[in-house]
């Protein structure tokens, strides 16, 4: 097991000196401009020559290593190329460099950053390098990795202001005459940003590793029963004392209380499905935010069985719920949501095969009150999410709902393997989600939001129910299927008029099917973006 410890944010290179003596590896990383700056390296502390950095400065190499007093000292650069779709620092490049050069045994990593805005992405990218789940017979020796962030100037409090302008156009016919009116709304968010708190960075990084651990866990260990027990243990040890409550609706209780989606998907498993709700309601909260996560602990596809190796890796189909669960933990532990209530709604089930399995042609009664004709049992994620968002909007009376899932195989065709794809009914909220992705390194890009072409009355027509759950034939197969799947989920937010485009409620559906993994291991995606989003929402609701 590797302990990853964030030690300092400083301008003083000597802050790491005490860690050098016990380290087998010292790794110093940064963009080239930072590393070649005067006094950027602790030369005396590591007994390095004054011209040690010259091969990097003149472009001969991106990294160099020297062995000093029994330890490997490596200096390595990472790419500074950043288009507008990336954040202030390249988290993917940091992950690659640290993975390659972190060595064995105890280590010290010095990360040169040019601003405090780069620290969260850098920290979470490093945390992902050291996964915690392993069942190998000869496990790696325990080690500690101490991390220091080095700034060019002392960290300070700042005040930032963000302004977004939204224009809504409406057309109406009055006495046979068509009239068009436009309304422009300007929203300004003012946020005071305090000095970087290393303890808070540690909590978020730990949450990323904990989420990844859940996603990596084998399905014979993680099922709806054991998942519920894990959540309960974390609630008891970390959250209950902070005022968090926990509610579980399980098994036939789901059926009897009208959660037809979760119940139908999970009823064939010997481990009954569950809806788990964690709630934190601060005294001064005046808004309510709900995060809803898909928690399919294993997906066989049901009677529409996955074939040809399609089941391999389906233990990760609960990645959305893992991200939401541990983002909730980090947000509450760090005291972020002072101005809004926060709920985590985990929709947990195992899509198994049995004589009790739900079938194509079944009609499911969703918690929203709508009915769904099953056309594909392997499109089960949207069925559990539909009950989750209905619970969030009906029972929790949420003002903001974010649902997150490893939902569609089409997601990377829409936004690539590193950016999650999402849709939102609010132009303002769409921008907030993108910004949160950039701030955390959990990148996200907006997909097509066009209910006229993609909503259920167009893409999911049924002859016998309010909608079908999957329309994969003909033109619908290539008609923005990841966006359409999001509209299916959004159709179960109630009341409908609250969640229309630029309505009273703000909603985002995040599909993170491919970003959930990096090189075959879980990434802990979701923790960072939701944590950063919580910070933004708390600032917005402070006014």
């Amino acid at each position: 097991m590797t302990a990853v410890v964030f030690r300092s944010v400083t301008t003083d290179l000597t802050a790491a000196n005490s860690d050098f003596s016990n380290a087998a590896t010292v790794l110093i990383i940064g963009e080239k401009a930072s590393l070649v700056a005067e006094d950027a390296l602790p030369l005396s502390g590591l007994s390095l020559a004054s011209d040690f950095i010259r091969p990097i400065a003149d472009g001969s190499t991106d990294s160099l290593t020297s062995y000093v007093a029994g330890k490997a000292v490596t200096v390595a650069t990472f790419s500074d190329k950043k288009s507008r779709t990336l954040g202030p620092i390249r988290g993917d490049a940091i992950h690659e460099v640290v993975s390659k050069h972190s060595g064995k045994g105890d280590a010290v990593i010095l990360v040169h950053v040019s601003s405090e805005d780069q620290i969260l992405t850098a920290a979470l990218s490093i945390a992902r390098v050291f996964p915690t789940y392993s069942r190998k017979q000869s496990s790696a020796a325990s080690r500690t990795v101490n991390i220091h962030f080095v700034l060019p100037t002392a960290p300070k409090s700042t005040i930032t202001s963000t302004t977004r302008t939204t224009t809504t156009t409406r057309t109406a016919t009055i006495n046979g005459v068509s009239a068009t009116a436009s309304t422009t709304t300007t929203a300004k968010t003012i946020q005071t940003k305090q000095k970087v708190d290393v303890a808070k960075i540690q909590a978020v990084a730990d949450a990323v590793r904990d989420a990844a651990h859940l996603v990596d866990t084998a399905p014979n260990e993680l099922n709806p029963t054991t998942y519920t027990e894990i959540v309960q243990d974390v609630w008891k040890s970390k959250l209950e004392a902070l005022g968090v409550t926990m509610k579980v609706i399980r098994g036939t209780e789901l059926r009897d209380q009208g959660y037809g989606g979760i119940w139908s998907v999970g009823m064939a498993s010997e481990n009954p499905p569950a809806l788990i709700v964690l709630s934190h309601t601060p005294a001064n909260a005046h808004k309510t935010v709900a995060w809803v996560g898909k928690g399919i602990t294993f997906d066989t596809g049901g009677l529409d069985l996955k074939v040809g190796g399609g089941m391999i890796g389906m233990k990760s189909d609960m990645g959305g719920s893992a991200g939401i669960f541990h983002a909730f933990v980090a947000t509450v532990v760090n005291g972020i949501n002072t101005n809004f209530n926060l709920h985590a709604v985990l929709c947990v089930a195992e899509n198994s095969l049995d004589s009790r399995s739900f079938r194509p042609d079944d009609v499911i009664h969703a918690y929203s009150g709508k009915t769904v004709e099953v056309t594909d049992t392997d499109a089960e994620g949207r069925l559990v999410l539909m009950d989750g968002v209905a619970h969030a909007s009906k029972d929790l009376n949420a003002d903001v709902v974010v649902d997150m899932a490893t939902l569609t195989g089409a997601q990377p065709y829409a936004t690539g393997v590193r950016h999650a794809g999402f849709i939102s009914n609010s132009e303002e909220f769409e921008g907030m989600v993108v910004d949160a992705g950039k701030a955390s390194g959990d990148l996200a890009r907006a997909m097509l939001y066009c209910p006229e072409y993609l909503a259920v009355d167009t893409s999911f027509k049924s002859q016998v129910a309010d909608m079908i759950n999957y329309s994969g034939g003909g033109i619908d197969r290539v008609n923005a299927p990841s966006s359409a799947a999001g509209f299916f989920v959004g159709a179960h937010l109630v009341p409908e008029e609250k969640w229309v485009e630029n309505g009273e409620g703000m909603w985002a559906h995040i599909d993170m099917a491919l970003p959930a993994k990096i090189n075959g291991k879980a990434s802990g995606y979701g923790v960072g973006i939701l944590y950063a989003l919580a910070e933004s929402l708390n600032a917005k609701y402070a006014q």
Side-chain angles (χ1 to χ4, degrees):
M1 173 71 102
T2 299
V4 178
V5 183
F6 294 91
R7 299 269 283 162
S8 69
V9 177
T10 182
T11 59
D12 183 5
L13 290 172
T14 64
N17 282 355
S18 61
D19 293 329
F20 290 155
S21 59
N22 295 322
T25 300
V26 175
L27 174 61
I28 305 169
I29 64 173
E31 294 175 352
K32 181 177 177 179
S34 297
L35 290 182
V36 301
E38 187 176 0
D39 298 327
L41 302 182
L43 299 175
S44 60
L46 294 171
S47 302
L48 298 175
S50 60
D51 61 349
F52 181 72
I53 196 68
R54 183 178 296 172
I56 288 178
D58 64 20
S60 301
T61 184
D62 292 330
S63 66
L64 49 94
T65 300
S66 177
Y67 293 89
V68 180
K71 62 172 86 320
V73 179
T74 299
V75 178
T77 64
F78 52 80
S79 176
D80 61 356
K81 294 180 180 179
K82 299 181 286 287
S83 70
R84 68 179 186 273
T85 61
L86 299 175
I89 196 167
R90 288 285 299 276
D92 61 316
I94 292 172
H95 184 276
E96 182 179 351
V97 167
V98 175
S99 297
K100 183 177 180 180
H101 296 293
S102 58
K104 297 181 179 180
D106 291 346
V108 177
I109 302 176
L110 271 64
V111 187
H112 280 269
V113 292
S114 59
S115 70
E116 295 172 64
D117 291 340
Q118 296 181 332
I119 292 176
L120 181 61
T121 293
L124 303 191
S125 299
I126 293 170
R128 292 185 175 101
V129 173
F130 304 100
T132 61
Y133 180 83
S134 175
R135 293 295 181 265
K136 292 185 177 182
Q137 185 178 22
S138 55
S139 58
S142 297
R143 62 186 302 213
T144 298
V145 177
N146 290 305
I147 300 147
H148 300 263
F149 293 101
V150 182
L151 283 161
T153 57
K156 58 185 179 180
S157 299
T158 58
I159 297 177
T160 59
S161 174
T162 302
T163 302
R164 295 193 180 278
T165 301
T166 302
T167 301
T168 303
T169 302
R170 295 181 175 86
T171 302
T173 301
I174 303 172
N175 295 327
V177 179
S178 179
T180 300
S182 296
T183 303
T184 300
T185 303
T186 300
K188 187 173 184 179
T189 301
I190 298 175
Q191 181 174 2
T192 300
K193 186 173 183 179
Q194 302 299 324
K195 293 180 181 179
V196 175
D197 186 329
V198 176
K200 289 185 176 181
I201 292 293
Q202 185 75 57
V204 186
D206 289 347
V208 167
R209 297 179 79 203
D210 289 342
H213 184 101
L214 276 176
V215 178
D216 281 332
T217 300
N220 60 321
E221 297 177 25
L222 188 72
N223 56 56
T225 300
T226 56
Y227 196 172
T228 302
E229 291 169 352
I230 289 169
V231 175
Q232 189 162 24
D233 288 345
V234 173
W235 167 70
K236 201 73 179 174
S237 62
K238 292 186 177 181
L239 301 175
E240 187 180 26
L242 298 175
V244 173
T245 61
M246 178 176 174
K247 177 180 180 180
V248 181
I249 306 172
R250 190 179 341 210
T252 55
E253 295 175 341
L254 291 164
R255 178 197 64 196
D256 297 343
Q257 294 181 37
Y259 296 88
I262 303 175
W263 167 248
S264 295
V265 171
M267 65 183 179
S269 172
E270 64 180 1
N271 294 289
L275 184 77
I276 306 168
V277 183
L278 296 166
S279 300
H280 184 236
T281 55
N284 295 324
H286 52 275
K287 293 288 185 177
T288 297
V289 176
W291 296 338
V292 181
K294 172 188 172 184
I296 302 298
T297 57
F298 192 77
D299 181 20
T300 66
L303 292 176
D304 286 306
L305 188 69
K306 293 179 184 292
V307 296
M311 270 187 237
I312 297 172
M314 283 299 102
K315 67 179 183 178
S316 66
D317 217 14
M318 41 67 66
S321 66
I324 279 175
F325 170 38
H326 284 290
F328 178 92
V329 173
T331 299
V332 172
V333 167
N334 282 350
I336 301 302
N337 62 309
T338 56
N339 297 317
F340 62 87
N341 302 313
L342 181 62
H343 304 275
V345 181
L346 313 180
C347 309
V348 181
E350 184 178 50
N351 190 15
S352 298
L353 279 171
D354 188 87
S355 61
R356 299 167 296 173
S357 296
F358 75 119
R359 300 163 290 259
D361 292 342
D362 279 357
V363 174
I364 294 173
H365 291 261
Y367 192 62
S368 65
K370 296 179 180 179
T371 55
V372 179
E373 178 188 3
V374 177
T375 51
D376 191 339
T377 62
D378 196 20
E380 85 298 329
R382 63 197 69 183
L383 296 176
V384 301
L385 285 176
M386 72 182 182
D387 282 351
V389 300
H391 181 91
S393 53
K394 283 174 61 175
D395 291 33
L396 303 177
N397 194 29
D399 301 290
V400 179
V401 174
V402 179
D403 71 83
M404 188 168 70
T406 52
L407 200 66
T408 66
Q411 174 270 310
Y413 294 96
T415 59
V417 299
R418 295 191 182 274
H419 291 71
F422 74 95
I423 61 172
S424 176
N425 69 326
S426 163
E427 190 172 1
E428 177 194 1
F429 198 47
E430 180 180 286
M432 292 176 70
V433 174
V434 170
D435 289 347
K438 290 180 179 180
S440 64
D442 280 355
L443 300 170
R445 298 304 296 173
M447 300 187 294
L448 179 63
Y449 181 91
C450 189
E452 295 83 356
Y453 298 154
L454 301 174
V456 292
D457 56 355
T458 300
S459 296
F460 297 94
K461 290 182 179 179
S462 170
Q463 298 296 318
V464 297
D466 293 317
M467 65 195 77
I468 58 176
N469 76 315
Y470 181 72
S471 180
I475 194 66
D476 287 330
R477 187 173 183 85
V478 294
N479 187 28
S482 295
S483 292
F487 276 106
F488 177 94
V489 176
H492 297 272
L493 291 160
V494 290
E496 291 183 21
E497 60 272 15
K498 180 177 179 179
W499 304 97
V500 297
E501 184 173 13
N502 295 320
E504 180 186 351
M506 295 196 303
W507 163 66
H509 160 79
I510 301 175
D511 190 338
M512 32 74 84
L514 265 290
K517 288 187 176 181
I518 299 176
N519 300 327
K521 295 286 285 186
S523 67
Y525 184 97
V527 172
I529 190 171
L530 292 176
Y531 181 85
L533 188 60
E535 289 185 313
S536 297
L537 287 170
N538 205 57
K540 174 181 174 65
Y541 294 142
Q543 302 171 57

